[in-house]
């Protein structure tokens, strides 16, 4: 052993430490990966050693490597080993490593629960602190559930350092385990008034984070925060509070009104920019929430805007950026006040920082009005010419289009100008927004009838100059899309073309074949449209020359497309070739086919509402899965779909569709159509298009002429094709100005009579009307927003935290506590396996996990004992595997300085055997004892059964299972395991009622003693009007704060030993605080038992106390009340609690020399077995087993006033029991030992 | 705060702290993206950028970039303040800190950060208190080192 150690240390000297590693990596820059893989090997060897120092060093190195991007997840076990080290140095490294590489799904995390719990409860504040910070990084749902209670306990720690961290960790706990929120919230709220400002601030932080996500549940806290806000000077906290208010105000405008004043004061007074910024943001939020009716409304807006202007003018880029950001928020509700600062925003467009420029752009988007749109767009376009970087220019282009097209072109008064802008934008090289421009062009051409002719003219020009647009740079951009729009517009509105033949020529000419397929297809198809138009006009004018010319032109050029690689192009082209040939043939015969040809193309496009497709109702009797046997109705159905699916861009393909579908049984279709139209007419929800057209070519051929072309007559000169320059539109008034043309021609414009739009509220008249109908909708559908959904993703943890916090807690809302029995059971296990502390937990946990898969995830520790037995009975392959896995863990503990480790040094098999025999032994004993108890408690048992039946529901699951177990077949086994008997003493008994009580020190919670009194009816009649009279003694006082005094717990069987968090429902009737009377608000039915809990404080916890009192009650039927006198005894052990016991602190304590007082006693002839003695000490004496080896155990307890008591219990084979005690307080120790001695003697 | 990264001008990661769980792959991807985005920014630019649904706040101190990711509603200036506070702490602790200090004592840098922030929220705003806590823990560590020596 010693040799091994020395060897380990020797090796250690040659190990690299972290610094060596870092240095090595820096020195091996070229061969870094090789060097690191070599280091990894070394680390792996180091991890196999027993020496914890070596391991910690290895883990530290791993953590460094992890940062460099190497995977270290394989070392999870080793990290846990290091974490579990009692030495702070190693623990710190372990936790650091864990927080860096563990995450909530890390498998090994489930092994850490108890270790972390131990660290949390450690005496060393920094142990707990390290555990808290680590946990914040890797907490999982299971850990959150299991440790919530321990974190809660730390909230009441005496050290602000821990309270603070615990508060912050709570937030993470809530995220992972939302059920904890309600029971924990009252305590969290208390922390808002913590004496330590850091804790207070942490609580504000947490509540602020919670409230931001689910504000409505935190409205009731507004007054508290308001007070904090007006009183605090801590800027960190103020910011959070103000942010919180920002989240609350949208829900409660009244709060906003109240906030304005203090906030404006802060804005005036503070010099901290971060606070100023937060205030402004919240003021904005307030102003948004208050719709109207604020007198100071404008003043505060002005103040904000002024302050923001200062920020924007600041030389600090950060402030500028934030100023613009906040400005854009104001813009949404108060555009006017922002618009005054247009100059500033435009200035920002020239800023060096792109993000600032983009922010400014965002602002501009909202600042546009009818008056300013032209100027702003002009500035943007000149800016775009200068701007560098395609990305940014693309952004600019997109913004320009967004600015213009927002709200259905709300701000555009002159669409000719807009079309010119769009055409101008086509010149931008390398843009990715060709599609956007194209759709805008088509949108305007279709919806703004008045400028259609102008648009068509411009498009013809675009087609003519296609080679300019699609330059060499076009390959990387999508600008060619513009040609798609141009070709389509020219084809669709060919009747508006000044010179259709020229346009047709420019379409067939040149590099069309080099364009993308879908654009070629559009070209080809629109050639046909143009052709049809030309033929029709030519036939009317008898211009056979023209006919021949265009026909030949097409027949000459189309074959190029027929051989195209693109299927669509090829198909269309070959179809058209045949049509043209056919037309040619007809003309040879002298037939006029122009009108018929034109029929193929006619039809009016109606806008379709954006939601139309979604709203198409499923017709009655339509089964989408079944075959549809009626072809005509099918085609009708499909056609509708096709129409509604496609908005403008692909509209022409539906044309094609239509053409093909056209043939089948016209009359039948007509009938259906008429019926549908009649229905539409009578349907108030159906949006009727203004043109009242049906999509049928033959029906609206007449109506085509009625399309409001009226506006066009305003400007004759428009018919002259030529690209217009934007400049001419800059002269806002008059509109009579000879604008320069980019292409040679000068153009005179006559005075325009603006077409007055009915909605023009501003002085500028709109010149063109946009078709802003919502578009066609399926019959009976509304254009409503009935799609309100929580936009948070399903897995957003905050969704689960949307919990009402104002409702009172119900009894089953408890943090999962380690209940009385569990704690006991665990201690038992610990005592059995102390030397291999962690290994023992692993198989259990593994097993429980298997169980978990089958059953619901619930606290299972209760079953641990049983599980353990199973593992032992059939050491399956599973278990062996697990043992292999944990082997390294076991070694750690051995190398650790456990005084008793020698017993177990031979390995786990040894320990296992021992355990087996031991547990058998204890089992038989237990059985005996259980039987005894059974006999004694027979009446009680019966009662219990009744209780069970009465309200199994109200009890938590564990208890339920537990009690159930006594009935089921598992009885024997259950009884073999010590039942979680409360250590209750008889208080008083008469023929009608039996009263037992138990005590528990509520350490760390409120430093008080909780007395649980249980009333068990033994009478055949109901007992009512129970009244306790318990006068305070000089040293012992009942706590009489309302709400705390008496808790009614209904049917709880066992008093909460560890921490009775919020288990109790508050009683409705509060007793008079001054009186010594406690009225119990319920009555006892026959066979029933109920509990009440009282809290006491003691001035001196080193001496035993007694309290005399009496109970009076009335038995139904009898007129007089009966009295029983009571005597509550509080031996000193009552004031002890072993909750914070851990081996590390225990050894620390013993070695620290603090424990000056010593005392001991011996029982030479103890009839009880060792486990029974331990049980007595832990249950009756409220002590905790720290360590237990064979027949020796050390126990620990801490008094409410912080005295430590340590006991060493030795039990020799000849029933010789020795208990040695050490304590910081002599009187306490001697009293405690006296008490234990008497109880152990009594048992004799 | 979602995470904090420290990296050098050469793009080497010096420290990373994640307050939101991500798989390692995602972490690496985010880190790589952010480092290249931030290094590409010019010195005259603001310290904020929008990145996916997060806001990135970064600041350069000598050769090191400190970079934090916060949520949309969080206060950027406050985050800058946190970064600055952290730098001041490092400076106080190491005595005019340089990149090498952080490379060779990276665990100390982490411990310091853990005192300043817990779970992504500011925990202690007083520099004095943080340094005090760190000093106490260092002392504790030395004591245990003493034990180890004794053990030999």
């Amino acid at each position: 052993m010693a040799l091994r150690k020395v060897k380990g240390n020797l090796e250690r000297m040659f190990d690299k430490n972290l610094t060596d590693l870092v240095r090595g990596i820096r020195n091996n820059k070229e061969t870094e990966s090789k060097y690191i893989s070599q280091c990894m090997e070394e680390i792996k060897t180091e991890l196999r050693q027993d020496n914890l120092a070596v391991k910690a060093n290895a883990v530290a190195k791993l953590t460094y490597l992890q940062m460099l991007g190497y995977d270290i997840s394989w070392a999870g076990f080793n990290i846990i080993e290091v974490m579990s080290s009692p030495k702070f140095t190693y623990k710190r490294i372990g936790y650091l490593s864990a927080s860096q590489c563990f995450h909530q799904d890390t498998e090994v995390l489930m092994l850490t629960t108890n270790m972390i719990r131990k660290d949390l409860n450690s005496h060393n504040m920094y142990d707990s602190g390290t555990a808290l910070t680590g946990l914040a990084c890797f907490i999982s749902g299971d850990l959150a559930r299991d440790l919530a209670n321990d974190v809660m306990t730390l909230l009441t720690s005496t050290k602000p350092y821990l309270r603070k961290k615990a508060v912050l960790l709570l937030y993470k706990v809530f995220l992972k385990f939302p059920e904890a929120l309600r029971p924990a919230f009252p305590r969290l709220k208390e922390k808002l008034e913590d004496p330590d400002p850091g804790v207070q601030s942490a609580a504000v932080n947490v509540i602020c984070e919670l409230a931001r996500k689910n504000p409505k549940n935190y409205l009731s806290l507004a007054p508290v925060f308001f007070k904090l806000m007006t009183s605090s000077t801590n800027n960190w906290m103020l910011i959070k509070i103000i942010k919180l208010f920002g989240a609350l105000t949208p829900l409660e405008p009244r709060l906003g009104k109240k906030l304005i004043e203090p906030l404006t004061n802060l804005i005036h007074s503070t010099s901290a920019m971060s606070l100023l910024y937060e205030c402004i943001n919240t003021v904005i939020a307030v102003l948004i929430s208050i719709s109207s009716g604020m007198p100071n409304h404008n003043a505060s807006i002005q103040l904000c805007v002024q302050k923001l202007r200062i920020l924007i003018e600041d030389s600090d880029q950060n402030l500028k950026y934030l100023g613009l950001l906040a400005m854009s928020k104001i813009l949404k509700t108060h555009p006017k006040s922002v618009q005054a600062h247009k100059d500033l925003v435009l200035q920002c467009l020239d800023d060096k920082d792109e993000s600032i420029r983009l922010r400014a752009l965002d602002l501009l988007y909202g600042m546009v009005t009818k008056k300013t749109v032209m100027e702003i767009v002009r500035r943007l376009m000149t800016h775009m010419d200068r701007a560098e970087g395609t990305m940014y220019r693309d952004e600019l282009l997109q913004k320009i289009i967004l600015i213009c097209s927002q709200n259905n072109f709300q701000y555009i008064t002159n669409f000719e100008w807009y079309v010119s802008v769009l055409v101008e934008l086509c010149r931008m090289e390398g843009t990715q927004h060709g599609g956007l421009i194209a759709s805008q062009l088509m949108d305007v051409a279709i919806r703004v009838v008045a400028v259609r002719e102008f648009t068509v003219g411009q498009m013809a020009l675009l087609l003519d100059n296609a080679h300019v647009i699609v330059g060499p740079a076009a390959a990387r951009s999508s600008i060619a899309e513009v040609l798609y729009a141009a070709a389509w517009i020219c084809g669709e509105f060919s009747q508006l073309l000044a010179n259709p033949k020229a346009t047709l020529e420019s379409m067939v000419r040149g590099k069309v074949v080099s364009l993308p397929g879908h654009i070629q297809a559009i070209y080809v198809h629109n050639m046909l449209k143009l052709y049809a138009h030309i033929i029709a006009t030519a036939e009317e004018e008898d211009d056979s020359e023209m006919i021949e010319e265009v026909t030949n032109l097409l027949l000459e050029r189309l074959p190029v497309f027929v051989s195209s690689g693109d299927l669509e192009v090829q198909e269309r082209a070959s179809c058209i070739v045949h049509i043209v040939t056919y037309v040619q043939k007809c003309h040879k015969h002298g037939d006029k086919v122009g009108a018929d040809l034109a029929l193929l193309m006619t039809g009016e496009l109606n806008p379709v509402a954006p939601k139309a497709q979604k709203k198409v109702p499923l017709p009655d009797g339509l089964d989408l899965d079944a075959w549809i046997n009626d072809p005509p109705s099918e085609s009708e159905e499909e056609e509708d779909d096709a129409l509604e699916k496609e908005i403008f861009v692909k509209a022409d393909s539906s044309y094609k569709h239509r053409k093909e579908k056209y043939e089948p049984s016209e009359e039948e279709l007509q009938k259906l159509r008429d019926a549908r139209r009649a229905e539409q007419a009578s349907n108030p929800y159906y949006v009727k298009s203004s043109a009242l057209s049906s999509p049928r070519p033959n029906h609206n051929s007449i109506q085509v002429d009625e399309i409001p072309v009226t506006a066009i007559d305003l400007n004759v000169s428009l018919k002259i094709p030529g690209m217009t320059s934007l400049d001419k539109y800059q002269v806002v008034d008059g509109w009579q100005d000879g604008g320069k043309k980019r292409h040679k021609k000068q153009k005179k414009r006559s005075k325009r009579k603006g077409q007055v739009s009915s909605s023009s509220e501003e002085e500028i008249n709109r010149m063109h009307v946009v078709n802003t109908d919502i578009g066609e909708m399926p019959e009976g559908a509304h254009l409503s927003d009935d799609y309100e959904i929580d936009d948070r993703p399903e897995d957003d943890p905050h969704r689960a935290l949307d919990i009402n916090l104002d409702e009172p807690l119900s009894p089953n809302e408890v943090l999962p506590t380690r209940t009385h029995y569990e704690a006991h059971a665990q201690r038992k296990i610990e005592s059995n396996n102390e030397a291999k502390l962690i290994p023992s937990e692993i198989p259990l946990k593994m097993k429980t996990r298997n169980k978990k898969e089958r059953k619901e995830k619930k606290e299972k520790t209760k079953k641990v004992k049983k599980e353990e037995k199973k593992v032992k009975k059939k050491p399956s392959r599973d278990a062996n595997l697990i043992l292999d896995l944990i082997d390294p863990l076991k070694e750690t503990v051995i190398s650790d300085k456990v005084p008793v480790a020698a017993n177990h040094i031979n390995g786990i098999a040894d320990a296992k055997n021992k355990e087996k025999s031991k547990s058998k032994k204890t089992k038989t004993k237990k059985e005996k004892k259980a039987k005894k108890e059974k006999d004694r408690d027979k009446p009680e048992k019966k009662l219990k059964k009744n209780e069970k039946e009465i309200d199994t529901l109200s009890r938590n699951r564990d208890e339920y299972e537990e009690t159930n177990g006594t009935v089921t077949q598992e009885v024997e086994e259950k009884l073999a395991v010590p039942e979680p008997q409360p250590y209750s003493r008889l208080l008083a008994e008469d023929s009608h009622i039996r009263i037992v009580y138990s005590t528990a020190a509520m350490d760390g919670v409120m430093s008080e003693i909780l007395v649980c009194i249980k009333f068990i009816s033994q009478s055949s009649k109901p007992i009512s009007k129970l009244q306790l009279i318990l006068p305070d003694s000089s040293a012992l006082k009942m706590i009489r704060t309302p709400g705390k005094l008496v808790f009614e717990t209904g049917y709880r069987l066992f008093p909460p030993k560890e921490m009775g968090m919020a288990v109790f429902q508050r009683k409705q009737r509060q007793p008079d605080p001054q009186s010594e009377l406690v009225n119990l608000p319920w009555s006892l039915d026959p066979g029933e038992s109920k509990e009440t809990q009282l809290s006491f404080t003691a001035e001196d916890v080193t001496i035993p106390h007694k309290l005399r009192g009496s109970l009076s009650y009335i038995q139904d039927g009898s007129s007089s009340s009966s009295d029983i006198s009571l005597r509550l005894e509080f031996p000193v052990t009552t004031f002890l609690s072993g909750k914070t016991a851990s081996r590390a602190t225990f050894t620390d304590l013993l070695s620290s020399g603090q424990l000056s007082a010593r005392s001991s006693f011996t029982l030479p002839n103890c009839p009880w077995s060792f486990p029974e003695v331990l049980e007595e000490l832990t249950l009756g004496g409220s002590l905790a087993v720290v360590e237990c080896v064979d027949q020796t155990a050390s126990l620990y307890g801490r008094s409410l006033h912080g005295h430590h008591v340590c006991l060493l219990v030795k039990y020799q084979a000849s029933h010789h029991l020795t208990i040695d005690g050490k304590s910081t307080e002599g009187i306490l120790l001697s009293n405690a030992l006296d008490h234990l001695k008497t109880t152990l003697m009594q048992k004799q | 705060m979602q995470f904090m990264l420290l990296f050098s001008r050469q793009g080497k990661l010096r420290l990373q702290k994640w307050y939101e769980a991500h798989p390692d792959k995602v972490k690496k991807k985010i880190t790589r993206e952010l480092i290249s985005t931030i290094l590409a920014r010019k010195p005259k630019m603001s310290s904020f950028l929008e990145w996916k649904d997060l806001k990135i706040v970064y600041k350069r101190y000598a050769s090191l970039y400190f970079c934090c990711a916060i949520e949309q509603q969080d206060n950027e200036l406050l985050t800058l303040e946190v970064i600055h506070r952290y730098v001041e702490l490092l400076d106080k602790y190491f005595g005019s800190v340089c990149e090498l200090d952080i490379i060779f004592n990276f665990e100390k840098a982490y411990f310091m950060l853990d005192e300043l922030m817990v779970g992504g929220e500011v925990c202690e705003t007083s520099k004095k208190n943080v340094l005090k806590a760190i000093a106490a823990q260092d002392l504790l560590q030395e004591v245990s080192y003493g034990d180890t020596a004794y053990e030999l």
Side-chain angles (χ1 to χ4, degrees), chain A residues 393-409:
Chain A
R393 282 204 303 201
D394 258 4
E395 187 72 25
L396 266 172
L397 191 154
Q398 193 189 15
K399 270 279 141 55
I400 291 175
I401 289 180
L402 282 180
I403 285 175
C404 294
S405 63
Q406 61 179 308
N407 267 336
N408 269 322
F409 309 104

Side-chain angles (χ1 to χ4, degrees), chain A residues 965-1008:
Chain A
T966 54
V967 198
T968 59
Q969 183 214 348
E970 285 176 88
V971 170
E972 275 309 300
E973 206 180 341
K974 268 279 162 189
L975 287 179
V977 180
E979 272 281 27
Q981 291 296 339
Y983 190 81
S984 49
R985 282 168 279 210
L986 184 68
L987 185 61
E989 187 173 16
D990 68 3
S991 53
H992 305 302
I993 194 163
R994 180 180 149 92
I995 310 162
V996 292
Y997 76 107
S998 62
T999 57
M1002 302 297 280
D1003 186 22
V1005 182
M1006 27 212 156
S1007 288
E1008 61 197 35

Side-chain angles (χ1 to χ4, degrees), chain B residues 50-66:
Chain B
E50 302 209 344
W51 187 77
K52 302 199 172 153
D53 55 341
L54 296 176
K55 292 196 285 197
I56 306 293
V57 178
Y58 72 92
K59 192 150 174 71
R60 185 179 156 181
Y61 288 88
S63 61
L64 269 186
Y65 284 87
F66 290 70

